[in-house]
């Protein structure tokens, strides 16, 4: 299983690591199961979805890539105290997105070798960033747009 998301999500997910971030494009139509981000991505749960014919899952990422100030602002709007996310966790994705517009979707692909290809395969080689050997992710949003279009099929 491989996680796909925005540059902000990847930077938060890999903070302090020298992980490589690679922009990708979908090779074919991908059937994605919509899920709510509860932080529970157990292998059993994902394996059951794969057995049902899904190629992965898509979800509104409720953690990565969101500045702490956005959480503080949202908690204040719903009357939660700092650090208590129980009220936010109960919200639907639409309600959460209204309170925290910085939240963006993420995708988990079960077999990335089958369904995605590095963007560099479609264009000149990506230019490495100067810090940590990461790649330039300026194209990630367009790559995610292709995955989002594919999910509707």
């Amino acid at each position: 299983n491989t996680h796909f998301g925005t540059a902000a999500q990847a930077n938060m997910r890999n903070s302090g690591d020298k992980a490589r971030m690679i922009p990708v494009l979908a090779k074919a139509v991908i059937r994605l199961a919509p899920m709510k981000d509860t932080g529970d991505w157990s292998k059993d749960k994902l394996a059951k979805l794969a057995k049902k014919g899904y190629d992965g899952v898509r979800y509104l990422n409720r953690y990565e890539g969101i500045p702490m100030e956005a959480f503080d602002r949202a908690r204040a709007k719903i009357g939660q105290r700092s650090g208590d996310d129980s009220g936010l966790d109960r919200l639907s994705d639409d309600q959460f997105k209204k309170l925290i517009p910085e939240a963006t979707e993420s995708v988990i692909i079960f077999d990335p070798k089958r369904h995605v290809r590095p963007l560099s395969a479609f264009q000149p080689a990506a230019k490495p960033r100067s810090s940590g050997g990461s790649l330039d992710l300026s194209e990630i949003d367009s790559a995610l747009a292709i995955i989002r279009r594919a999910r509707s099929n």
Side-chain angles (χ1 to χ4, degrees):
N1 301 325
T2 303
H3 176 270
F4 295 91
T6 65
Q9 291 170 356
N11 285 329
M12 183 178 279
R13 188 176 182 93
N14 296 313
S15 67
D17 295 343
K18 292 188 177 182
R20 288 173 37 109
M21 297 177 281
I22 303 170
V24 298
L25 290 174
K27 288 183 187 178
V29 173
I30 299 173
R31 187 167 176 237
L32 300 173
M35 292 185 70
K36 183 176 178 179
D37 187 1
T38 62
D40 176 23
W41 303 109
S42 70
K43 288 183 181 184
D44 289 341
K45 186 182 286 187
L46 298 178
K48 286 178 186 176
L49 289 169
K51 285 182 181 180
K52 290 181 179 180
Y54 288 103
D55 302 312
V57 299
R58 69 169 174 82
Y59 59 96
L60 181 66
N61 197 317
R62 293 173 174 240
Y63 306 100
E64 296 156 351
I66 301 172
M68 291 308 296
E69 303 80 41
F71 286 108
D72 293 338
R73 183 185 67 236
R75 282 187 207 101
K77 284 185 181 178
I78 63 170
Q80 294 279 171
R81 58 184 166 20
S82 182
D84 179 4
D85 289 334
S86 60
L88 294 174
D89 291 342
R90 286 190 291 269
L91 298 175
S92 70
D93 282 348
D94 288 341
Q95 292 168 324
F96 188 91
K97 182 74 173 166
K98 283 181 184 175
L99 275 176
I100 304 179
E102 296 90 341
T104 54
E105 283 191 335
S106 286
V107 174
I108 296 173
I109 302 293
F110 301 147
D111 185 357
K113 289 181 182 177
R114 180 174 163 208
H115 294 291
V116 297
R117 179 183 317 236
L119 191 61
S120 60
F122 296 98
Q123 67 181 29
K127 297 175 186 161
R129 280 194 203 164
S130 59
S131 63
S134 298
L135 298 177
D136 180 359
L137 289 180
S138 60
E139 302 292 331
I140 193 71
D141 289 327
S142 61
L144 281 174
I146 290 169
I147 292 172
R148 284 186 194 110
R149 279 196 299 273
R151 77 163 191 237
S152 64
N153 295 329

